[in-house]
Amino acid sequence: AQKVTQAQTEISVVEKEDVTLDCVYETRDTTYYLFWYKQPPSGELVFLIRRNSFDEQNEISGRYSWNFQKSTSSFNFTITASQVVDSAVYFCALRENRDDKIIFGKGTRLHILP
Amino acid sequence: GAGVSQTPSNKVTEKGKYVELRCDPISGHTALYWYRQSLGQGPEFLIYFQGTGAADDSGLPNDRFFAVRPEGSVSTLKIQRTERGDSAVYLCASKWDLNTEAFFGQGTRLTVV
């Protein structure tokens, strides 16, 4: 069965610190897709990244970076030099190739303190 | 519109009543999803449409929940005989096809009193 675990329920860091959000997934498929979404207080889910199971290359986009490791079934997300505007709930998600539903983790609430 | 639009943004209803929640997807998007998000939880899959047909309705919790998309665009999620446990934010998302990203609306917050 497919499952996404975000063990960190809530994290608080001081502005400008780096922070890493953990994500561990379970799937029996060899082809799958991993996602990160941001949910600010407005409630809308904002897409951040999609990664397929055949591409383990780490990705960097500005202050955001993602570390995908199939050996440990992890897809961690790091924010460098955090800013108050990064405060939100972040969801990791998984879609197996066999169907089209996205399974979300329970989310990590991130507080960036000024 | 530019994004996925959901109406109403908030709905308060009495236990036992019938409600309809509407989703206007991004123009041209063939795939449409409904998710439910309870407080402190991640979004939970309900149903997925490809065009007019429900490709996967395995997430609908029971037969009080039903969704339609008659013309392959706007979708309506219908809940009969609402219960307090149905209170949640109902999210809609749409996308072009299987290999593109889904865009979410801001949701409808349903409160059953």
Side-chain angles (χ1 to χ4, degrees), chain A residues 39 47 50 100-102, chain B residues 33 35 37 58 98-99 101:
Chain A
Q39 189 173 46
F47 167 81
R50 179 184 72 166
D100 205 37
K101 57 188 178 191
I102 302 173
Chain B
Y33 304 78
Y35 282 80
Q37 187 175 17
S58 62
L98 197 65
N99 294 314
E101 291 71 43

Side-chain angles (χ1 to χ4, degrees), chain B residues 58-77:
Chain B
S58 62
L60 294 177
N62 51 60
D63 61 6
R64 295 187 298 105
F65 288 75
F66 190 71
V68 296
R69 195 185 185 200
E71 297 177 0
S73 178
V74 171
S75 176
T76 305
L77 178 66

Side-chain angles (χ1 to χ4, degrees), chain A residues 41 43 63 78 88 97:
Chain A
R63 296 183 297 107
T78 297
N97 198 45

Side-chain angles (χ1 to χ4, degrees), chain A residues 13-17 19 21 37-42 44 46 48 63-64 77 79-90 108-114:
Chain A
V13 299
V14 177
E15 197 174 19
K16 298 183 184 175
E17 288 185 356
V19 58
L21 309 182
Y37 282 86
K38 175 181 180 180
Q39 189 173 46
S42 62
E44 185 173 347
V46 178
L48 296 178
R63 296 183 297 107
Y64 296 171
F77 172 33
I79 302 175
T80 304
S82 59
Q83 299 177 2
V84 172
V85 293
D86 296 328
S87 297
V89 181
Y90 290 86
T108 297
R109 183 175 296 276
L110 178 63
H111 300 278
I112 308 298
L113 308 173

